[in-house]
């Protein structure tokens, strides 16, 4: 099922009365399937970022709260963070390109400005080691700015989990003496729906409980 493109509100409200609109920046991501070491992963969140922005779009003091009071390391992290966010125009360009070229949708969330607690790019509260997708280096790339993505398959539904889930449902139907023949494809659809809608997944366990 395709996801619609969304821009979620946040940050300062737009000015009224003919005044200039404030700068708006966005986090953008897509939900994709990934193949890694011959295993397919479903529901992988790929975070997109601008790679080649050399200077912030406005004074960094306007983008990061209390920037002058931060230590040098945090200032550098804050600057790296704001340089990687996308403008609305860039989000729409990326959306059009990914939809046409890769069949992916883009979800964008507005970044509340100024940033209160800068963390730097590529940070995760779960400690993932991210992998990178060099989108702008691929043949046929057509955007006038460079976009890369980063992602982790940690916690994602995988092909082996789907196969185990199908086996589980088949055994459950046998125990229930359901005589209707249900295709493997339909059972796979049930497994994916349970994962994406309920967060449920089937994993194998040895008979000794390990």
């Amino acid at each position: 099922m395709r996801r619609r493109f969304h821009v979620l509100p946040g940050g300062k409200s737009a000015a009224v009365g003919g005044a200039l609109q404030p700068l708006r920046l966005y986090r953008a991501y897509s939900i994709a399937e990934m193949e890694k070491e011959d295993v397919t992963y479903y529901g992988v969140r790929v975070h997109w970022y601008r790679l080649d922005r050399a200077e912030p779009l406005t004074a960094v003091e306007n983008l990061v709260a209390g920037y002058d009071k931060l230590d040098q390391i945090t200032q550098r992290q804050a600057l790296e963070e704001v340089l990687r966010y996308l403008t609305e125009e860039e989000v729409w360009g990326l959306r059009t390109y990914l939809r046409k070229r890769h069949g992916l949708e883009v979800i964008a969330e507005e970044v509340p400005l100024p940033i209160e607690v800068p963390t730097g790019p590529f940070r995760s509260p779960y400690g993932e080691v991210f992998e990178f997708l060099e989108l702008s280096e691929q043949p046929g790339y057509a955007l006038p700015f460079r976009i890369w993505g980063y992602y982790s398959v940690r916690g994602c539904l995988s092909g082996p989990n789907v196969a185990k889930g199908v086996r589980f449902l088949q055994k459950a139907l046998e125990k229930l003496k359901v005589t209707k023949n249900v295709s493997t494809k339909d059972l796979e659809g049930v497994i994916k729906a349970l994962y994406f809608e309920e967060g449920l997944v089937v994993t194998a366990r040895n008979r000794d409980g390990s």
Side-chain angles (χ1 to χ4, degrees):
M1 182 179 67
R2 288 186 176 273
R3 290 178 177 268
R4 293 179 179 271
F5 171 79
H6 295 287
V7 174
L8 305 180
K12 295 181 179 179
S13 301
V16 296
L20 293 176
Q21 299 287 324
L23 176 65
R24 304 173 81 171
L25 296 176
Y26 297 89
R27 302 180 183 93
Y29 65 91
S30 297
I31 304 299
E33 293 182 10
M34 290 278 185
E35 286 201 11
K36 180 177 172 58
E37 298 177 353
D38 297 325
V39 175
T40 301
Y41 293 89
Y42 304 91
V44 180
R45 180 176 292 207
V46 182
H47 303 267
W48 304 112
Y49 64 96
R50 174 87 183 247
L51 181 67
D52 59 344
R53 199 188 309 282
E55 298 291 338
L57 296 171
T58 187
V60 68
E61 291 82 3
N62 297 332
L63 299 174
V64 180
Y67 179 80
D68 291 336
K69 298 179 181 178
L70 301 176
D71 60 65
Q72 290 186 347
I73 293 177
T74 308
Q75 282 186 346
R76 185 172 64 252
Q77 291 174 338
L79 179 59
E80 291 175 351
E81 182 176 344
V82 298
L83 289 177
R84 283 164 172 75
Y85 291 134
L86 304 182
T87 65
E88 187 168 1
E89 181 179 4
E90 290 164 351
V91 167
W92 279 98
L94 177 63
R95 168 189 177 259
T96 302
Y97 174 77
L98 286 178
R99 176 180 284 182
K100 181 178 180 180
R101 183 83 178 181
H102 298 285
L104 290 175
E105 294 295 340
V106 170
I107 300 94
E109 300 172 344
E110 186 173 348
V111 178
L113 296 175
I115 297 170
E116 297 291 340
V117 184
T119 60
F122 321 132
R123 291 297 183 91
S124 167
Y126 308 108
E128 287 103 334
V129 176
F130 289 113
E131 298 186 65
F132 291 83
L133 197 163
E134 301 173 353
L135 185 67
S136 61
E137 315 311 309
Q138 296 181 355
Y141 183 79
L143 295 175
F145 46 87
R146 296 175 68 194
I147 295 290
W148 283 21
Y150 65 96
Y151 66 94
S152 171
V153 298
R154 175 179 176 178
C156 293
L157 182 67
S158 69
N161 291 136
V162 173
K164 292 168 188 173
V166 168
R167 182 64 175 160
F168 175 84
L169 291 181
Q170 289 171 335
K171 285 296 183 181
L173 292 174
E174 289 179 11
K175 295 293 184 182
L176 293 170
K177 301 185 185 305
V178 176
T179 58
K180 182 180 178 180
N181 185 32
V182 183
S183 70
T184 299
K185 183 177 180 180
D186 287 339
L187 293 177
E188 288 177 349
V190 171
I191 294 301
K192 292 175 183 178
L194 288 173
Y195 174 77
F196 289 115
E197 296 173 12
E198 306 292 338
L200 300 176
V201 64
V202 176
T203 58
R205 188 176 67 177
N206 295 329
R207 292 183 181 275
D208 61 4
S210 62

